[in-house]
Amino acid sequence: MHKRSTIVLTALCGFLGTIALTLYFTAPFTFMPLPPPDATIGQIFTFGKTYPTTILADVWLQQIGTILTVIFALSLVHIAGASGKLAGKLTLLASAVITSLSLAEGTFELGALQAGNNGHLEAMLTCFDLTNVFIHIFLLAPSLFIMLGFALRGTHVLPKLLITIAIILGILFQTLGVVALFDNKFLLAVIIILMIQNLWTIISSIFLLLRKVQYPLLAGGREHYQNAR
Protein backbone atom coordinates (compact mmCIF):
# COMPACT_ATOMS: atom_id res chain seq x y z
CA MET A 1 0.00 0.00 0.00
CA HIS A 2 1.26 3.50 -0.81
CA LYS A 3 2.74 5.19 2.24
CA ARG A 4 0.31 8.14 2.05
CA SER A 5 -2.66 5.78 1.89
CA THR A 6 -1.39 4.01 5.00
CA ILE A 7 -1.15 7.32 6.85
CA VAL A 8 -4.65 8.41 5.80
CA LEU A 9 -6.20 5.07 6.76
CA THR A 10 -4.37 5.12 10.09
CA ALA A 11 -5.74 8.56 10.89
CA LEU A 12 -9.22 7.45 9.79
CA CYS A 13 -9.04 4.49 12.19
CA GLY A 14 -8.08 6.90 14.97
CA PHE A 15 -11.04 9.18 14.24
CA LEU A 16 -13.67 6.47 13.80
CA GLY A 17 -12.41 4.32 16.68
CA THR A 18 -12.52 7.27 19.06
CA ILE A 19 -16.03 8.24 17.97
CA ALA A 20 -17.28 4.67 18.45
CA LEU A 21 -15.70 4.29 21.89
CA THR A 22 -16.92 7.72 23.01
CA LEU A 23 -20.49 6.76 22.09
CA TYR A 24 -20.02 3.45 23.91
CA PHE A 25 -18.66 5.00 27.11
CA THR A 26 -21.23 7.80 27.22
CA ALA A 27 -24.23 5.51 26.53
CA PRO A 28 -24.98 4.87 30.25
CA PHE A 29 -25.16 8.65 30.81
CA THR A 30 -27.26 9.44 27.74
CA PHE A 31 -29.60 7.03 25.98
CA MET A 32 -29.14 3.78 27.95
CA PRO A 33 -29.10 4.24 31.76
CA LEU A 34 -27.57 1.08 33.22
CA PRO A 35 -29.00 -0.74 36.24
CA PRO A 36 -26.93 -0.28 39.42
CA PRO A 37 -24.25 -2.90 40.14
CA ASP A 38 -26.45 -4.37 42.89
CA ALA A 39 -29.54 -4.50 40.66
CA THR A 40 -32.09 -7.23 41.28
CA ILE A 41 -33.01 -9.87 38.73
CA GLY A 42 -36.22 -7.97 38.03
CA GLN A 43 -34.38 -4.71 37.32
CA ILE A 44 -31.92 -6.41 34.98
CA PHE A 45 -34.69 -8.28 33.17
CA THR A 46 -36.67 -5.04 32.68
CA PHE A 47 -33.54 -3.29 31.42
CA GLY A 48 -32.94 -6.00 28.81
CA LYS A 49 -36.54 -5.87 27.62
CA THR A 50 -36.48 -2.06 27.42
CA TYR A 51 -33.21 -1.59 25.52
CA PRO A 52 -32.52 -4.77 23.45
CA THR A 53 -31.57 -2.99 20.22
CA THR A 54 -29.58 -0.33 22.06
CA ILE A 55 -27.61 -3.00 23.93
CA LEU A 56 -26.73 -4.74 20.67
CA ALA A 57 -25.64 -1.43 19.11
CA ASP A 58 -23.59 -0.60 22.23
CA VAL A 59 -21.75 -3.94 22.08
CA TRP A 60 -21.01 -3.35 18.39
CA LEU A 61 -19.67 0.14 19.12
CA GLN A 62 -17.36 -1.29 21.77
CA GLN A 63 -15.97 -3.98 19.50
CA ILE A 64 -15.50 -1.88 16.36
CA GLY A 65 -14.11 1.01 18.42
CA THR A 66 -11.57 -1.27 20.10
CA ILE A 67 -10.47 -2.86 16.83
CA LEU A 68 -10.05 0.50 15.06
CA THR A 69 -8.15 1.97 18.01
CA VAL A 70 -5.81 -1.02 18.11
CA ILE A 71 -5.24 -0.75 14.35
CA PHE A 72 -4.46 2.94 14.84
CA ALA A 73 -1.85 2.20 17.51
CA LEU A 74 -0.21 -0.66 15.63
CA SER A 75 -0.18 1.35 12.40
CA LEU A 76 1.57 4.22 14.17
CA VAL A 77 4.26 1.81 15.33
CA HIS A 78 4.53 0.44 11.78
CA ILE A 79 4.74 3.88 10.15
CA ALA A 80 7.41 4.87 12.66
CA GLY A 81 9.43 1.79 11.74
CA ALA A 82 9.39 0.76 15.40
CA SER A 83 7.80 -2.68 15.07
CA GLY A 84 11.11 -4.40 15.82
CA LYS A 85 11.70 -2.49 19.05
CA LEU A 86 10.82 -4.17 22.35
CA ALA A 87 8.27 -1.43 23.06
CA GLY A 88 6.77 -2.02 19.62
CA LYS A 89 6.32 -5.71 20.37
CA LEU A 90 4.84 -4.87 23.77
CA THR A 91 2.37 -2.57 22.00
CA LEU A 92 1.26 -5.61 20.02
CA LEU A 93 0.90 -7.57 23.29
CA ALA A 94 -1.16 -4.79 24.92
CA SER A 95 -3.34 -4.57 21.81
CA ALA A 96 -4.04 -8.31 21.93
CA VAL A 97 -4.93 -8.18 25.62
CA ILE A 98 -7.25 -5.20 25.20
CA THR A 99 -9.00 -6.76 22.21
CA SER A 100 -9.47 -10.04 24.11
CA LEU A 101 -10.94 -8.24 27.13
CA SER A 102 -13.27 -6.22 24.92
CA LEU A 103 -14.55 -9.35 23.21
CA ALA A 104 -15.00 -11.07 26.58
CA GLU A 105 -17.00 -8.17 28.00
CA GLY A 106 -19.16 -8.08 24.87
CA THR A 107 -19.73 -11.82 25.24
CA PHE A 108 -21.10 -11.40 28.76
CA GLU A 109 -23.27 -8.45 27.73
CA LEU A 110 -24.83 -10.49 24.94
CA GLY A 111 -25.01 -13.49 27.29
CA ALA A 112 -27.04 -11.48 29.80
CA LEU A 113 -29.40 -10.31 27.07
CA GLN A 114 -29.87 -13.77 25.58
CA ALA A 115 -30.25 -15.47 28.96
CA GLY A 116 -32.99 -13.00 29.87
CA ASN A 117 -34.80 -13.66 26.60
CA ASN A 118 -34.61 -17.40 27.23
CA GLY A 119 -35.89 -17.08 30.78
CA HIS A 120 -32.58 -18.18 32.33
CA LEU A 121 -32.67 -15.48 34.96
CA GLU A 122 -29.84 -16.75 37.18
CA ALA A 123 -27.53 -16.95 34.17
CA MET A 124 -28.62 -13.43 33.22
CA LEU A 125 -27.69 -12.15 36.67
CA THR A 126 -24.31 -13.92 36.55
CA CYS A 127 -23.45 -12.43 33.15
CA PHE A 128 -24.52 -8.98 34.34
CA ASP A 129 -22.35 -9.24 37.45
CA LEU A 130 -19.38 -10.28 35.29
CA THR A 131 -19.78 -7.21 33.06
CA ASN A 132 -19.27 -5.03 36.13
CA VAL A 133 -15.91 -6.69 36.77
CA PHE A 134 -14.41 -5.60 33.47
CA ILE A 135 -14.05 -1.94 34.37
CA HIS A 136 -11.39 -3.05 36.84
CA ILE A 137 -9.78 -5.68 34.61
CA PHE A 138 -9.33 -3.21 31.77
CA LEU A 139 -7.52 -0.87 34.16
CA LEU A 140 -5.19 -3.63 35.35
CA ALA A 141 -4.31 -4.77 31.81
CA PRO A 142 -1.08 -3.45 30.24
CA SER A 143 -1.61 0.17 29.18
CA LEU A 144 -1.64 0.59 25.40
CA PHE A 145 -0.66 4.25 25.80
CA ILE A 146 2.46 3.46 27.81
CA MET A 147 3.66 0.86 25.31
CA LEU A 148 2.78 3.03 22.31
CA GLY A 149 4.47 6.09 23.79
CA PHE A 150 7.72 4.25 24.43
CA ALA A 151 7.57 2.63 20.99
CA LEU A 152 7.31 6.06 19.35
CA ARG A 153 10.13 7.64 21.38
CA GLY A 154 12.99 8.66 19.13
CA THR A 155 10.75 8.72 16.05
CA HIS A 156 9.17 11.61 14.16
CA VAL A 157 5.73 10.21 13.46
CA LEU A 158 4.24 12.55 16.10
CA PRO A 159 5.54 15.62 17.96
CA LYS A 160 7.65 14.78 21.00
CA LEU A 161 5.14 16.51 23.26
CA LEU A 162 2.33 14.21 22.14
CA ILE A 163 4.51 11.15 22.65
CA THR A 164 5.42 12.30 26.18
CA ILE A 165 1.76 13.01 26.96
CA ALA A 166 0.83 9.50 25.80
CA ILE A 167 3.27 7.98 28.29
CA ILE A 168 2.02 10.22 31.12
CA LEU A 169 -1.62 9.40 30.36
CA GLY A 170 -0.80 5.71 30.31
CA ILE A 171 0.96 5.87 33.68
CA LEU A 172 -1.91 7.83 35.24
CA PHE A 173 -4.46 5.42 33.80
CA GLN A 174 -2.59 2.39 35.11
CA THR A 175 -1.97 3.94 38.54
CA LEU A 176 -5.56 5.07 39.05
CA GLY A 177 -6.71 1.65 37.88
CA VAL A 178 -4.89 -0.01 40.76
CA VAL A 179 -6.17 2.54 43.27
CA ALA A 180 -9.76 2.24 41.97
CA LEU A 181 -9.59 -1.49 42.62
CA PHE A 182 -9.76 -0.62 46.33
CA ASP A 183 -11.88 2.54 46.13
CA ASN A 184 -14.51 3.05 43.40
CA LYS A 185 -14.46 6.81 43.96
CA PHE A 186 -11.33 6.98 41.82
CA LEU A 187 -13.21 5.59 38.82
CA LEU A 188 -14.39 9.13 38.00
CA ALA A 189 -10.76 10.22 37.64
CA VAL A 190 -10.17 7.21 35.39
CA ILE A 191 -13.05 8.27 33.14
CA ILE A 192 -11.54 11.76 32.87
CA ILE A 193 -8.17 10.28 31.86
CA LEU A 194 -9.97 8.08 29.36
CA MET A 195 -11.63 11.10 27.75
CA ILE A 196 -8.26 12.86 27.55
CA GLN A 197 -6.83 9.76 25.86
CA ASN A 198 -9.63 9.97 23.28
CA LEU A 199 -8.76 13.63 22.71
CA TRP A 200 -5.10 12.63 22.32
CA THR A 201 -6.05 10.13 19.60
CA ILE A 202 -8.02 12.78 17.69
CA ILE A 203 -5.20 15.33 17.91
CA SER A 204 -2.62 12.72 16.90
CA SER A 205 -4.73 11.71 13.90
CA ILE A 206 -4.89 15.34 12.78
CA PHE A 207 -1.12 15.76 13.17
CA LEU A 208 -0.57 12.56 11.23
CA LEU A 209 -2.62 13.89 8.33
CA LEU A 210 -1.13 17.39 8.31
CA ARG A 211 2.54 16.66 8.80
CA LYS A 212 4.79 15.88 5.86
CA VAL A 213 6.41 12.66 7.02
CA GLN A 214 8.87 10.10 5.86
CA TYR A 215 8.15 6.39 6.02
CA PRO A 216 9.41 4.74 8.17
CA LEU A 217 10.04 7.59 10.61
CA LEU A 218 12.62 6.25 13.02
CA ALA A 219 15.20 8.83 13.96
CA GLY A 220 18.11 8.06 11.71
CA GLY A 221 15.86 5.88 9.59
CA ARG A 222 16.31 7.76 6.32
CA GLU A 223 18.85 5.24 5.06
CA HIS A 224 16.44 2.42 5.87
CA TYR A 225 13.72 4.25 3.93
CA GLN A 226 15.95 4.72 0.89
CA ASN A 227 16.94 1.04 0.89
CA ALA A 228 13.31 -0.02 1.07
CA ARG A 229 12.26 1.94 -2.02
Side-chain angles (χ1 to χ4, degrees):
M1 183 181 293
H2 189 273
K3 59 183 181 180
R4 186 59 190 173
S5 299
T6 302
I7 290 173
V8 171
L9 289 175
T10 298
L12 187 61
C13 286
F15 281 120
L16 296 179
T18 299
I19 292 172
L21 288 178
T22 299
L23 290 173
Y24 164 74
F25 285 118
T26 57
F29 307 101
T30 53
F31 51 85
M32 191 183 69
L34 295 176
D38 59 349
T40 63
I41 286 180
Q43 288 175 305
I44 301 169
F45 182 78
T46 300
F47 172 75
K49 290 298 183 181
T50 305
Y51 300 101
T53 303
T54 308
I55 293 171
L56 293 175
D58 197 52
V59 171
W60 180 84
L61 285 171
Q62 181 191 22
Q63 304 312 315
I64 194 65
T66 300
I67 292 296
L68 290 175
T69 300
V70 163
I71 291 174
F72 171 75
L74 294 179
S75 295
L76 278 180
V77 173
H78 172 70
I79 291 170
S83 300
K85 295 169 61 176
L86 175 60
K89 295 177 180 179
L90 291 177
T91 303
L92 178 59
L93 171 63
S95 298
V97 171
I98 290 171
T99 302
S100 299
L101 289 175
S102 179
L103 289 169
E105 182 177 12
T107 298
F108 287 119
E109 290 176 25
L110 295 180
L113 182 62
Q114 181 171 303
N117 290 336
N118 293 337
H120 302 156
L121 301 186
E122 293 295 337
M124 177 193 69
L125 178 61
T126 299
C127 287
F128 175 79
D129 284 342
L130 285 170
T131 62
N132 286 304
V133 172
F134 276 89
I135 188 170
H136 294 291
I137 297 300
F138 269 112
L139 301 178
L140 296 177
S143 170
L144 180 60
F145 268 67
I146 293 178
M147 305 307 176
L148 177 61
F150 278 106
L152 297 181
R153 286 186 68 189
T155 75
H156 304 290
V157 65
L158 292 176
K160 291 182 179 180
L161 178 60
L162 278 178
I163 295 174
T164 301
I165 290 175
I167 296 173
I168 294 173
L169 288 174
I171 293 173
L172 288 174
F173 190 77
Q174 201 92 70
T175 303
L176 288 171
V178 174
V179 176
L181 186 64
F182 302 95
D183 191 342
N184 284 335
K185 290 184 294 185
F186 286 92
L187 288 176
L188 177 59
V190 172
I191 293 174
I192 294 173
I193 296 298
L194 184 63
M195 292 299 104
I196 297 175
Q197 287 181 341
N198 287 341
L199 180 61
W200 182 94
T201 302
I202 294 294
I203 294 174
S204 297
S205 298
I206 293 173
F207 267 100
L208 194 63
L209 286 174
L210 295 182
R211 293 189 70 176
K212 186 176 181 180
V213 296
Q214 289 183 333
Y215 180 81
L217 296 164
L218 273 173
R222 183 172 302 180
E223 180 180 351
H224 177 80
Y225 168 64
Q226 294 292 340
N227 293 336
R229 294 179 63 181

